């Protein structure tokens, strides 16, 4: 075999295939699935799109990402927490920890949820950026049949979240993955966002990081070391093609004896620390749960400007969630005043 000639032929045809653009298609001929947006998880991550899960350190990002990997691998509504629409193989690409740490996390969650053994979660320890390793990742997807790819986390997977070229290369690499695969990106908030005591923050980096995600969820946590619990609130900050969803509360309980991690849903509006980062409507409803209040009281409790607060109260009233009592105070519908 003339290896020099063979390699030149392969390189030339690979370069030609890479440079050949996709053909123009008639959109009328493309099969369309009607009935609204399709999801991998119910109202969380759009099927085949890019989703972003972001928060400060110790906010439960990797733990929640592993919970979603576990749930997708089982294809079951485990513990009434996260409901996958389908089952499949998740591929966990890890730039931050080790296989031992993630294996322990998967085992602890599985035992905490009462499973006899953990499901299959494909894992790979990553060192190069996603753009530099995209060809190998595509091969991993093909070999494992993965339908969900988790990137943990974007900072190291991208290289530099404030450099436009690096960010563009990262998202181009994501786009090179099969369209049928849902991509979940785990990332952080900025230092200023982490210090916020109220309201929403954005993922760290260029605006592209927030804009490219089709469904972005911010995590905020409230830790109670005495009870061994971590309350994680997921706030839906951005959606393309469907409505923003109510906040999701995940309560993790850590068994000090055997290390099992239990998880259950909780009402985010019941946590005075976490509700401060919810939407204006959620903050108002959460505050009025403690009893009726006038406009000034609602403004003081939520930190909203008076005109904004008045508009929100009016909107919630029209939605039938609150009403104005004879005394003039605002209260939840169904609350006796």
């Amino acid at each position: 075999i003339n290896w020099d000639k063979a390699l030149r032929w392969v390189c030339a045809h690979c370069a030609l295939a890479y440079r050949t653009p996709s053909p123009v298609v008639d959109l009328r001929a493309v099969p369309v699935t009607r009935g609204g947006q399709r999801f991998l998880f119910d109202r969380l991550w759009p099927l085949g799109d890019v989703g972003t899960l972001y928060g400060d350190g110790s906010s439960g990002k990797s733990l929640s990402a592993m919970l979603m990997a576990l749930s997708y691998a089982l294809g079951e509504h485990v513990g009434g927490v996260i409901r996958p629409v389908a089952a499949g193989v998740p591929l966990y690409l890890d730039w931050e920890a080790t296989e031992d740490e993630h294996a322990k996390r998967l085992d602890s969650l599985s035992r905490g949820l009462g499973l006899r053994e953990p499901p299959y979660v494909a894992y790979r320890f990553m060192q190069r950026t996603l753009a530099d390793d995209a060809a190998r990742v595509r091969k991993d997807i093909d070999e494992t049949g993965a339908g969900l790819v988790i990137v943990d986390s974007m900072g190291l997977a991208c290289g530099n979240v404030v450099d436009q070229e690096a960010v563009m290369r990262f998202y181009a690499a994501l786009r090179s993955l099969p369209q049928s695969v849902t991509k979940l990106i785990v990332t952080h908030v900025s230092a200023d966002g982490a210090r916020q005591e109220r309201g929403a923050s954005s993922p760290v980096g260029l605006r592209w990081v927030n804009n490219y995600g089709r469904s972005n969820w911010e995590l905020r946590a409230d830790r109670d070391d005495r009870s061994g619990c971590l309350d994680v609130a997921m706030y839906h900050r951005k959606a393309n093609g469907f409505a923003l969803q109510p906040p999701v509360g995940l309560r993790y309980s850590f068994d000090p004896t055997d290390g099992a991690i239990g998880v259950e849903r909780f009402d985010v509006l019941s946590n005075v620390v976490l509700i401060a980062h919810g939407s204006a409507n959620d903050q108002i409803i959460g505050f009025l749960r403690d009893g009726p209040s006038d406009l000034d009281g609602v403004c003081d409790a939520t930190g909203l400007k008076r005109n904004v607060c008045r508009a929100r109260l009016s909107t919630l009233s029209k939605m039938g969630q609150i009403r104005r009592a004879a005394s003039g105070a605002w209260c939840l519908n169904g609350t006796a005043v």
Side-chain angles (χ1 to χ4, degrees):
I1 298 176
N2 187 334
W3 285 108
D4 181 70
K5 184 177 180 180
L7 288 173
R8 287 176 181 275
W9 185 91
V10 170
C11 290
H13 281 74
C14 286
L16 179 63
Y18 178 78
R19 294 166 184 162
T20 302
S22 300
V24 173
V25 300
D26 182 351
L27 288 179
R28 297 172 297 179
V30 177
V32 175
T33 301
R34 297 179 179 176
Q37 177 69 57
R38 294 187 300 161
F39 295 87
L40 188 67
F41 292 90
D42 190 26
R43 317 307 293 178
L44 287 177
W45 312 116
L47 185 65
D49 277 336
V50 175
T52 307
L53 188 69
Y54 66 98
D56 195 15
S58 300
S59 62
K61 299 185 300 298
S62 295
L63 185 59
S64 299
M66 182 58 75
L67 175 66
M68 291 174 195
L70 184 156
S71 180
Y72 175 61
L74 290 171
E76 299 176 7
H77 195 185
V78 181
V81 182
I82 300 293
R83 187 172 74 89
V85 176
V89 176
L91 173 60
Y92 204 112
L93 304 178
D94 173 34
W95 278 262
E96 289 200 356
T98 64
E99 60 183 65
D100 292 340
E101 183 175 340
H102 283 287
K104 182 178 179 180
R105 185 173 287 149
L106 174 62
D107 177 72
S108 297
L109 282 170
S110 299
R111 287 187 291 111
L113 291 169
L115 303 178
R116 296 182 62 182
E117 60 181 19
Y120 172 46
V121 174
Y123 170 91
R124 187 165 162 227
F125 180 88
M126 303 293 291
Q127 292 177 297
R128 298 194 298 167
T129 66
L130 181 64
D132 292 335
D133 219 8
R136 176 65 219 188
V137 171
R138 289 193 293 270
K139 185 176 181 180
D140 292 336
I141 293 172
D142 182 59
E143 291 178 348
T144 62
L148 169 65
V149 171
I150 297 173
V151 174
D152 187 3
S153 66
M154 182 178 175
L156 292 174
C158 171
N160 188 349
V161 292
V162 295
D163 178 77
Q164 182 170 345
E165 182 178 353
V167 171
M168 293 300 99
R169 291 183 71 232
F170 172 79
Y171 283 115
L174 279 181
R175 190 171 175 81
S176 74
L177 304 184
Q179 293 184 15
S180 59
V181 174
T182 303
K183 303 90 178 174
L184 173 57
I185 312 304
V186 179
T187 189
H188 299 79
V189 296
S190 65
D192 289 340
R195 286 191 291 267
Q196 286 181 211
E197 296 182 356
R198 179 177 298 280
S201 61
S202 298
V204 66
L206 301 177
R207 290 295 297 170
W208 279 98
V209 179
N210 186 63
N211 294 341
Y212 199 89
R214 317 312 285 172
S215 181
N216 298 346
W217 291 78
E218 179 186 2
L219 268 61
R220 293 279 177 171
D222 182 28
R223 181 184 297 274
D224 185 352
D225 291 323
R226 289 179 300 177
S227 64
C229 289
L230 177 69
D231 283 356
V232 176
M234 294 176 53
Y235 300 102
H236 203 192
R237 303 302 193 195
K238 179 177 181 288
N240 283 72
F242 65 108
L244 289 174
Q245 300 302 301
V248 174
L250 302 175
R251 175 167 292 154
Y252 295 101
S253 55
F254 301 86
D255 191 314
T257 303
D258 65 1
I261 302 176
V263 58
E264 61 182 356
R265 292 286 286 268
F266 78 96
D267 183 5
V268 175
L269 302 188
S270 66
N271 187 306
V272 67
V273 175
L274 296 177
I275 190 56
H277 297 282
S279 67
N281 288 358
D282 287 341
Q283 291 185 53
I284 292 172
I285 291 174
F287 173 64
L288 292 180
R289 283 183 172 184
D290 293 332
S293 175
D294 59 14
L295 176 62
D296 290 335
V298 177
C299 291
D300 291 341
T302 61
L304 298 172
K305 294 182 178 179
R306 192 177 181 85
N307 61 329
V308 174
C309 193
R310 184 184 291 110
R312 295 290 184 174
L313 288 167
S314 176
T315 299
L316 288 170
S317 177
K318 292 176 181 177
M319 294 169 61
Q321 293 185 268
I322 65 173
R323 64 184 177 86
R324 200 161 192 173
S327 64
W330 292 96
C331 63
L332 295 180
N333 253 349
T335 301
V337 180

